[in-house]
Amino acid sequence: MIIKNMVKEDIPHLKGFQLENWPDIIPEFKFYIQNSFTHPVKIIDQEKIVGIGCALSFGKTAWLGHIIVDDKYRNKGVGRNLVEYLCNYLENKGALTISLISTPGAFKFYQKMGFRVDTEYIFLEGQKPLESKAAPEIEGLRKKDQEEVLKLDKRVSGENRSRVLKDHLKNSYIYRDKEGMQGYFLPHLGEGLIISPDEIAGLELMKFRCQKKNQGVLPVDNTRGVNFLLDNDFQKIRQISRMVRGEDLSWDPSKVFNRISGNMG
Protein backbone atom coordinates (compact mmCIF):
# COMPACT_ATOMS: atom_id res chain seq x y z
CA MET A 1 0.00 0.00 0.00
CA ILE A 2 1.18 3.50 -0.83
CA ILE A 3 -0.02 7.00 0.07
CA LYS A 4 -0.37 9.59 -2.67
CA ASN A 5 -1.74 13.09 -2.99
CA MET A 6 -5.30 13.16 -4.21
CA VAL A 7 -6.00 14.78 -7.60
CA LYS A 8 -9.21 15.87 -9.30
CA GLU A 9 -9.24 12.72 -11.43
CA ASP A 10 -9.85 10.74 -8.22
CA ILE A 11 -13.16 12.47 -7.48
CA PRO A 12 -15.40 10.05 -9.47
CA HIS A 13 -13.93 7.14 -7.49
CA LEU A 14 -14.95 8.53 -4.09
CA LYS A 15 -18.67 7.79 -4.21
CA GLY A 16 -18.12 4.40 -2.61
CA PHE A 17 -16.66 6.11 0.47
CA GLN A 18 -19.83 8.05 1.27
CA LEU A 19 -20.94 7.26 4.82
CA GLU A 20 -24.52 7.23 6.07
CA ASN A 21 -25.59 10.42 7.90
CA TRP A 22 -22.61 12.32 6.46
CA PRO A 23 -23.01 15.29 4.09
CA ASP A 24 -21.91 14.63 0.51
CA ILE A 25 -18.13 14.15 0.58
CA ILE A 26 -17.59 15.00 -3.11
CA PRO A 27 -17.83 18.82 -2.70
CA GLU A 28 -15.55 18.56 0.33
CA PHE A 29 -12.79 16.79 -1.56
CA LYS A 30 -13.13 19.21 -4.49
CA PHE A 31 -12.60 21.97 -1.93
CA TYR A 32 -9.57 20.16 -0.48
CA ILE A 33 -7.95 19.71 -3.88
CA GLN A 34 -8.37 23.39 -4.77
CA ASN A 35 -6.89 24.96 -1.63
CA SER A 36 -3.29 25.42 -0.53
CA PHE A 37 -3.93 24.93 3.22
CA THR A 38 -5.51 21.50 2.69
CA HIS A 39 -3.69 18.25 1.94
CA PRO A 40 -5.99 15.46 0.70
CA VAL A 41 -4.47 12.01 0.26
CA LYS A 42 -5.40 8.49 -0.76
CA ILE A 43 -4.05 5.05 0.11
CA ILE A 44 -3.74 2.76 -2.88
CA ASP A 45 -3.56 -1.03 -2.89
CA GLN A 46 -3.21 -2.81 -6.23
CA GLU A 47 -4.31 0.33 -8.11
CA LYS A 48 -7.44 0.68 -5.99
CA ILE A 49 -8.17 3.53 -3.56
CA VAL A 50 -8.78 1.88 -0.19
CA GLY A 51 -8.55 4.87 2.14
CA ILE A 52 -8.92 8.66 2.00
CA GLY A 53 -8.39 11.61 4.30
CA CYS A 54 -7.28 15.22 4.53
CA ALA A 55 -5.11 17.47 6.69
CA LEU A 56 -6.18 21.10 7.14
CA SER A 57 -3.40 23.41 8.32
CA PHE A 58 -4.04 26.68 10.16
CA GLY A 59 -0.48 27.14 11.38
CA LYS A 60 -0.04 26.07 14.99
CA THR A 61 -3.46 24.43 14.92
CA ALA A 62 -4.79 21.92 12.41
CA TRP A 63 -7.57 19.45 11.66
CA LEU A 64 -8.03 16.00 10.19
CA GLY A 65 -11.10 15.52 8.03
CA HIS A 66 -12.89 12.72 6.23
CA ILE A 67 -10.72 9.81 7.35
CA ILE A 68 -12.56 6.96 5.61
CA VAL A 69 -11.43 3.41 4.90
CA ASP A 70 -12.96 0.93 2.47
CA ASP A 71 -15.05 -1.61 4.41
CA LYS A 72 -13.00 -4.52 3.08
CA TYR A 73 -9.74 -2.94 4.30
CA ARG A 74 -10.69 -2.08 7.86
CA ASN A 75 -8.62 -3.51 10.72
CA LYS A 76 -5.69 -3.89 8.32
CA GLY A 77 -3.72 -0.79 9.31
CA VAL A 78 -5.06 1.52 6.59
CA GLY A 79 -6.64 3.99 9.01
CA ARG A 80 -3.58 3.99 11.25
CA ASN A 81 -1.30 4.68 8.29
CA LEU A 82 -3.54 7.52 7.14
CA VAL A 83 -3.69 9.21 10.53
CA GLU A 84 0.03 8.80 11.22
CA TYR A 85 0.95 10.18 7.80
CA LEU A 86 -1.36 13.20 8.08
CA CYS A 87 -0.35 13.99 11.67
CA ASN A 88 3.33 13.83 10.74
CA TYR A 89 2.64 16.10 7.79
CA LEU A 90 0.91 18.67 10.02
CA GLU A 91 3.48 18.49 12.79
CA ASN A 92 6.26 19.06 10.26
CA LYS A 93 4.38 22.20 9.18
CA GLY A 94 4.41 23.46 12.75
CA ALA A 95 1.07 22.26 14.13
CA LEU A 96 1.07 21.95 17.92
CA THR A 97 -2.60 21.01 18.20
CA ILE A 98 -4.48 18.65 15.87
CA SER A 99 -8.25 18.31 16.19
CA LEU A 100 -10.88 16.05 14.67
CA ILE A 101 -14.48 14.95 15.08
CA SER A 102 -14.85 11.26 15.87
CA THR A 103 -17.78 9.02 15.09
CA PRO A 104 -18.69 6.70 18.00
CA GLY A 105 -17.31 3.71 16.11
CA ALA A 106 -13.90 5.35 15.63
CA PHE A 107 -13.55 6.76 19.14
CA LYS A 108 -11.34 4.01 20.62
CA PHE A 109 -9.21 3.99 17.48
CA TYR A 110 -8.45 7.69 17.81
CA GLN A 111 -7.71 7.26 21.50
CA LYS A 112 -5.06 4.71 20.58
CA MET A 113 -3.66 7.25 18.10
CA GLY A 114 -3.09 9.76 20.91
CA PHE A 115 -6.29 11.80 20.69
CA ARG A 116 -8.34 12.74 23.76
CA VAL A 117 -11.77 14.30 24.23
CA ASP A 118 -11.95 18.07 23.99
CA THR A 119 -15.73 18.47 24.08
CA GLU A 120 -18.92 16.96 22.67
CA TYR A 121 -21.23 18.23 19.93
CA ILE A 122 -24.98 17.76 20.17
CA PHE A 123 -27.03 17.33 16.99
CA LEU A 124 -30.58 18.65 17.28
CA GLU A 125 -33.45 18.51 14.83
CA GLY A 126 -36.92 20.07 14.78
CA GLN A 127 -40.05 19.01 12.99
CA LYS A 128 -39.94 22.27 11.04
CA PRO A 129 -38.01 25.56 10.94
CA LEU A 130 -38.80 28.14 13.62
CA GLU A 131 -41.41 30.78 12.96
CA SER A 132 -39.94 34.03 14.20
CA LYS A 133 -39.07 37.51 13.03
CA ALA A 134 -35.48 38.59 12.60
CA ALA A 135 -34.25 40.89 15.36
CA PRO A 136 -33.75 44.48 14.14
CA GLU A 137 -30.14 44.29 15.30
CA ILE A 138 -29.36 41.70 12.61
CA GLU A 139 -27.93 43.29 9.48
CA GLY A 140 -25.87 42.41 6.47
CA LEU A 141 -22.15 41.95 7.02
CA ARG A 142 -20.33 44.84 5.38
CA LYS A 143 -16.79 44.98 4.08
CA LYS A 144 -15.73 47.20 6.96
CA ASP A 145 -16.99 44.53 9.40
CA GLN A 146 -14.81 41.76 7.99
CA GLU A 147 -11.69 42.36 10.04
CA GLU A 148 -13.71 42.49 13.26
CA VAL A 149 -15.41 39.20 12.36
CA LEU A 150 -12.04 37.51 11.76
CA LYS A 151 -10.70 38.79 15.08
CA LEU A 152 -13.77 37.53 16.94
CA ASP A 153 -13.50 34.13 15.28
CA LYS A 154 -9.86 33.81 16.28
CA ARG A 155 -10.62 34.85 19.85
CA VAL A 156 -13.41 32.29 20.28
CA SER A 157 -12.08 29.39 18.16
CA GLY A 158 -8.45 29.76 19.23
CA GLU A 159 -7.47 29.30 15.58
CA ASN A 160 -6.58 31.47 12.62
CA ARG A 161 -9.31 30.32 10.23
CA SER A 162 -9.26 33.47 8.10
CA ARG A 163 -8.40 31.56 4.91
CA VAL A 164 -11.63 29.62 5.31
CA LEU A 165 -13.87 32.46 6.44
CA LYS A 166 -12.78 35.09 3.91
CA ASP A 167 -14.52 33.36 1.01
CA HIS A 168 -17.83 33.25 2.90
CA LEU A 169 -18.18 36.76 4.32
CA LYS A 170 -20.32 38.08 1.48
CA ASN A 171 -24.08 37.70 1.92
CA SER A 172 -23.59 37.00 5.62
CA TYR A 173 -24.91 38.65 8.78
CA ILE A 174 -23.88 40.27 12.03
CA TYR A 175 -25.72 41.28 15.17
CA ARG A 176 -25.01 44.91 16.05
CA ASP A 177 -26.39 46.75 19.07
CA LYS A 178 -25.49 50.11 20.57
CA GLU A 179 -22.27 48.59 21.93
CA GLY A 180 -21.16 47.39 18.49
CA MET A 181 -20.92 44.03 16.73
CA GLN A 182 -21.85 41.19 19.07
CA GLY A 183 -21.79 38.16 16.79
CA TYR A 184 -21.89 36.85 13.24
CA PHE A 185 -23.63 34.23 11.10
CA LEU A 186 -22.05 32.80 7.94
CA PRO A 187 -24.93 30.87 6.28
CA HIS A 188 -22.88 29.65 3.33
CA LEU A 189 -19.97 28.20 5.31
CA GLY A 190 -20.57 24.54 6.09
CA GLU A 191 -23.62 24.10 8.29
CA GLY A 192 -23.87 27.84 8.99
CA LEU A 193 -21.30 29.07 11.50
CA ILE A 194 -22.60 31.27 14.34
CA ILE A 195 -20.26 32.75 16.93
CA SER A 196 -21.16 35.30 19.56
CA PRO A 197 -19.72 36.27 22.95
CA ASP A 198 -23.14 37.72 23.83
CA GLU A 199 -25.93 35.30 24.75
CA ILE A 200 -28.76 37.46 23.44
CA ALA A 201 -27.02 38.07 20.12
CA GLY A 202 -26.14 34.40 19.76
CA LEU A 203 -29.70 33.27 20.36
CA GLU A 204 -31.13 35.84 17.95
CA LEU A 205 -28.70 34.77 15.23
CA MET A 206 -29.57 31.14 15.90
CA LYS A 207 -33.30 31.92 15.68
CA PHE A 208 -32.62 33.73 12.41
CA ARG A 209 -30.78 30.71 11.04
CA CYS A 210 -33.52 28.34 12.18
CA GLN A 211 -36.13 30.20 10.14
CA LYS A 212 -34.79 28.16 7.20
CA LYS A 213 -32.95 25.29 8.92
CA ASN A 214 -34.54 22.75 11.25
CA GLN A 215 -31.19 21.39 12.40
CA GLY A 216 -28.45 22.65 14.67
CA VAL A 217 -25.08 21.39 15.96
CA LEU A 218 -23.72 22.99 19.12
CA PRO A 219 -21.06 22.17 21.70
CA VAL A 220 -22.53 20.79 24.93
CA ASP A 221 -20.79 23.72 26.65
CA ASN A 222 -23.33 26.11 25.11
CA THR A 223 -26.11 25.08 27.48
CA ARG A 224 -28.21 28.18 26.75
CA GLY A 225 -28.22 27.52 23.02
CA VAL A 226 -28.92 23.80 23.40
CA ASN A 227 -31.74 24.41 25.89
CA PHE A 228 -33.28 27.05 23.64
CA LEU A 229 -33.61 24.55 20.81
CA LEU A 230 -34.93 21.83 23.14
CA ASP A 231 -37.48 24.29 24.50
CA ASN A 232 -38.61 24.95 20.92
CA ASP A 233 -39.39 21.29 20.21
CA PHE A 234 -36.03 20.32 18.73
CA GLN A 235 -34.95 16.81 19.62
CA LYS A 236 -31.47 15.52 20.38
CA ILE A 237 -30.48 13.18 17.53
CA ARG A 238 -26.98 12.18 18.55
CA GLN A 239 -23.85 13.33 20.31
CA ILE A 240 -20.26 12.93 19.08
CA SER A 241 -16.79 13.72 20.37
CA ARG A 242 -14.45 16.46 19.33
CA MET A 243 -10.93 15.19 20.05
CA VAL A 244 -7.49 16.75 20.22
CA ARG A 245 -3.87 15.57 20.04
CA GLY A 246 -0.91 17.63 21.20
CA GLU A 247 -1.33 20.83 23.18
CA ASP A 248 -4.75 21.78 24.54
CA LEU A 249 -6.56 24.31 22.39
CA SER A 250 -7.50 27.54 24.14
CA TRP A 251 -11.00 28.23 22.82
CA ASP A 252 -14.49 28.96 24.13
CA PRO A 253 -17.12 26.46 22.93
CA SER A 254 -19.83 28.21 24.96
CA LYS A 255 -19.73 31.03 22.38
CA VAL A 256 -20.40 28.70 19.40
CA PHE A 257 -24.11 28.76 18.51
CA ASN A 258 -23.62 26.56 15.44
CA ARG A 259 -20.50 24.83 14.20
CA ILE A 260 -18.94 24.92 10.71
CA SER A 261 -18.75 21.20 9.99
CA GLY A 262 -17.13 17.95 11.01
CA ASN A 263 -13.77 18.83 9.44
CA MET A 264 -13.25 22.26 11.02
CA GLY A 265 -15.29 22.32 14.21
Side-chain angles (χ1 to χ4, degrees), residues 24-254:
D24 188 356
I25 67 171
I26 299 300
E28 298 289 352
F29 276 91
K30 288 181 178 178
F31 169 81
Y32 293 152
I33 291 170
Q34 293 171 355
N35 284 277
S36 60
F37 63 92
T38 53
H39 183 59
V41 299
K42 57 193 175 184
I43 287 190
I44 299 176
D45 181 50
Q46 297 181 359
E47 300 184 356
K48 178 185 177 182
I49 300 177
V50 298
I52 58 176
C54 186
L56 296 88
S57 175
F58 300 132
K60 292 184 178 180
T61 68
W63 281 78
L64 298 187
H66 293 89
I67 306 296
I68 310 174
V69 176
D70 187 301
D71 290 344
K72 297 178 181 178
Y73 283 80
R74 291 180 181 175
N75 301 312
K76 294 183 179 181
V78 176
R80 176 175 291 276
N81 288 340
L82 266 174
V83 172
E84 285 181 346
Y85 174 87
L86 291 173
C87 285
N88 287 336
Y89 168 84
L90 290 169
E91 289 163 358
N92 287 335
K93 288 181 70 67
L96 302 177
T97 304
I98 301 174
S99 302
L100 58 79
I101 306 296
S102 172
T103 60
F107 181 78
K108 289 184 178 179
F109 163 74
Y110 286 122
Q111 278 189 318
K112 292 178 181 178
M113 297 298 296
F115 287 85
R116 61 191 181 278
V117 174
D118 185 352
T119 189
E120 303 277 328
Y121 280 113
I122 296 180
F123 290 69
L124 301 113
E125 186 173 302
Q127 293 295 318
K128 58 182 180 179
L130 293 181
E131 295 181 4
S132 62
K133 293 183 179 180
E137 292 85 358
I138 295 177
E139 59 186 52
L141 195 161
R142 301 167 295 181
K143 189 174 182 180
K144 65 180 183 179
D145 301 317
Q146 293 183 4
E147 193 60 36
E148 191 173 2
V149 166
L150 296 178
K151 288 180 180 179
L152 174 58
D153 184 81
K154 187 174 182 180
R155 188 166 75 247
V156 172
S157 73
E159 302 189 78
N160 183 4
R161 305 188 298 192
S162 59
R163 287 182 289 184
V164 177
L165 270 61
K166 281 181 178 179
D167 292 335
H168 300 275
L169 296 177
K170 291 183 179 180
N171 301 316
S172 295
Y173 303 92
I174 62 170
Y175 183 102
R176 187 193 308 278
D177 61 16
K178 61 182 180 180
E179 301 297 328
M181 191 195 78
Q182 301 297 336
Y184 67 86
F185 167 38
L186 307 185
H188 308 295
L189 176 57
E191 296 158 6
L193 176 64
I194 299 175
I195 284 183
S196 175
D198 181 86
E199 187 176 282
I200 293 175
L203 291 176
E204 289 297 337
L205 288 168
M206 191 167 64
K207 287 162 61 177
F208 181 60
R209 175 185 177 273
C210 288
Q211 290 177 13
K212 295 183 179 180
K213 299 281 188 179
N214 67 332
Q215 297 175 327
V217 186
L218 288 75
V220 295
D221 315 77
N222 191 339
T223 54
R224 188 65 183 89
V226 170
N227 288 335
F228 172 83
L229 292 179
L230 292 174
D231 291 341
N232 282 273
D233 298 322
F234 278 59
Q235 301 294 319
K236 177 181 173 181
I237 304 302
R238 61 185 181 276
Q239 185 167 320
I240 60 175
S241 300
R242 170 169 164 161
M243 306 184 77
V244 64
R245 169 169 146 167
E247 296 183 3
D248 288 334
L249 180 64
S250 178
W251 69 300
D252 192 346
S254 69

